[in-house]
Amino acid sequence: MTGDQAKMGMDFKNGATLAVEEWNSKGGILGKKIELIVSDDQHDPKQAVAVANKMVNEGVAGVIGHFNSSCSIPASDVYNRAGVPMITPGSTNPQLTERGYKNVFRVCGRDDQQGKIGADYVSQILKLKRVAVLHDKTTYGQGLADEFKRFLGQVLRLPTTAG
């Protein structure tokens, strides 16, 4: 796996490989062995669409991925048109599932869920009155920071500000 998040890609690839080996050692699914096809979107939305088209053209039964919302959202359009199920392990942007695609799933909390939990913790458990919000300028960091600020503003009854 390559790109700025290659480590995460390798971790997911290794986990999927282990799961496939375990299932295949038990006879596979419905008596058929699972074949793992790995592709790398390099954390690039254009590459993610190319990967999605490749997977669909190869006739995959389903996709575990993509990791980032910025890749999952455009790739999910391809999977939706082809009727291929997609399960993302890490895409948190609410837009991914709010579009109503019946074949697109996530196994992690959304930005708005995580932001609310963080804001509740800061205000109710830590009882902080002053909070600095920093993010890493990634799609994930920005989305989570925005949701945290929005919910914190509601909890502390503060005006929300952009930026």
Side-chain angles (χ1 to χ4, degrees):
M1 313 278 44
T2 61
D4 65 337
Q5 297 191 353
K7 164 85 170 76
M8 294 302 295
M10 287 304 298
D11 290 346
F12 286 124
K13 177 185 174 206
N14 292 339
T17 299
L18 180 60
V20 166
E21 289 171 357
E22 288 178 1
W23 275 96
N24 283 343
S25 72
K26 298 174 186 177
I29 297 177
L30 300 175
K32 294 183 179 182
K33 297 288 183 176
I34 302 166
E35 177 187 357
L36 182 63
I37 300 170
V38 178
S39 286
D40 179 9
D41 68 20
Q42 303 168 1
H43 187 202
D44 177 330
K46 290 179 184 173
Q47 186 65 21
V49 170
V51 164
N53 282 310
K54 177 182 174 230
M55 292 290 140
V56 166
N57 291 336
E58 290 184 14
V60 298
V63 173
I64 301 171
H66 300 243
F67 175 57
N68 306 94
S69 298
S70 60
C71 291
S72 293
I73 291 171
S76 69
D77 292 332
V78 175
Y79 301 127
N80 182 60
R81 284 192 300 273
V84 173
M86 171 192 162
I87 302 171
T88 176
S91 298
T92 59
N93 188 307
Q95 292 176 6
L96 178 65
T97 50
E98 283 183 352
R99 294 173 304 153
Y101 293 165
K102 303 284 186 212
N103 61 313
V104 176
F105 308 93
R106 75 173 96 231
V107 293
C108 58
R110 298 165 27 141
D111 290 341
D112 52 349
Q113 294 166 324
Q114 293 181 44
K116 181 177 185 333
I117 289 169
D120 287 347
Y121 183 79
V122 163
S123 64
Q124 295 172 16
I125 304 299
L126 298 178
K127 301 194 184 302
L128 298 177
K129 300 296 180 200
R130 293 180 53 164
V131 178
V133 179
L134 307 173
H135 65 82
D136 60 3
K137 297 184 181 178
T138 63
T139 305
Y140 171 70
Q142 180 71 55
L144 188 55
D146 289 347
E147 292 297 333
F148 175 82
K149 288 188 297 187
R150 181 170 71 90
F151 282 108
L152 192 61
Q154 290 173 3
V155 171
L156 298 179
R157 308 226 190 285
L158 302 173
T160 57
T161 59

